[in-house]
Amino acid sequence: MSDILQQIEERLSLFSENDSLVDGLTYSKFSELVFKIRDIITCNVNQFDSSLQPKVIIYASTGPLAYASILACLCTKSCFVPLNSSNSISYNSSIIEDLRPNLILLDEKSLLDHFSNYNAIDITTSLSSNLPASRITTTIDTDCLTDAE
């Protein structure tokens, strides 16, 4: 499995700006997105028992952000559960309660308050501000983020 993950990382970094698009993003921009989300996951799950496989909820609309989050979870060897954001919040909340994830990746800042009892991150704000999170419920070490440039 780790060989496959290493191949994904290597191949994503090979594409240039002139390559095909992933829902409007060039492969190089998409791979940059994957690596940034990978860093966010790594920084936020390292605070938990490293002998356990981290559980990550991806609560994002279908699109490049959700796809990049899935690949980032694979790169970090995290167990992930993508939730359909068109389902009701109460339905998705019941799944989250049962799973008890280490991290919830959100694409809507408005959902942060709803999941304040969890380590929840609005990744859209995190990515645009180059910070590890717009708001989380636990403290993280920002020094573990890699330079994305």
Side-chain angles (χ1 to χ4, degrees):
M1 181 69 163
S2 63
D3 291 337
I4 293 171
L5 298 177
Q6 186 176 1
Q7 289 176 10
I8 289 171
E9 283 192 24
E10 289 171 0
R11 289 191 179 153
L12 280 173
S13 62
L14 295 176
F15 294 100
S16 71
E17 286 298 319
N18 299 323
D19 291 317
S20 301
L21 301 178
V22 177
D23 276 9
L25 291 178
T26 62
Y27 278 4
S28 62
K29 290 291 183 192
F30 180 73
S31 67
E32 186 179 313
L33 184 61
V34 170
F35 296 140
K36 285 181 179 182
I37 296 171
R38 177 201 61 194
D39 290 344
I40 290 169
I41 293 169
T42 300
C43 287
N44 282 279
V45 296
N46 281 345
Q47 57 191 313
F48 301 102
D49 185 352
S50 61
S51 66
L52 301 174
Q53 186 177 25
K55 295 180 281 188
V56 178
I57 295 283
I58 301 170
Y59 198 131
S61 302
T62 301
L65 199 56
Y67 306 146
S69 296
I70 290 169
L71 285 174
C73 285
L74 290 173
C75 290
T76 60
K77 299 180 183 175
S78 298
C79 170
F80 67 93
V81 176
L83 294 182
N84 186 339
S85 60
S86 64
N87 289 337
S88 71
I89 291 177
S90 61
Y91 178 80
N92 284 336
S93 293
S94 66
I95 295 171
I96 291 170
E97 275 183 46
D98 289 342
L99 184 63
R100 293 178 300 187
N102 301 106
L103 180 63
I104 303 173
L105 299 177
L106 303 166
D107 69 350
E108 287 185 43
K109 188 175 185 174
S110 63
L111 292 172
L112 282 172
D113 288 334
H114 191 75
F115 298 111
S116 61
N117 294 335
Y118 297 93
N119 187 20
I121 296 175
D122 168 26
I123 51 179
T124 56
T125 302
S126 297
L127 294 170
S128 64
S129 66
N130 289 323
L131 295 174
S134 63
R135 176 178 157 218
I136 56 171
T137 57
T138 56
T139 305
I140 64 167
D141 178 13
T142 58
D143 294 336
C144 69
L145 288 176
T146 60
D147 185 47
E149 305 197 340

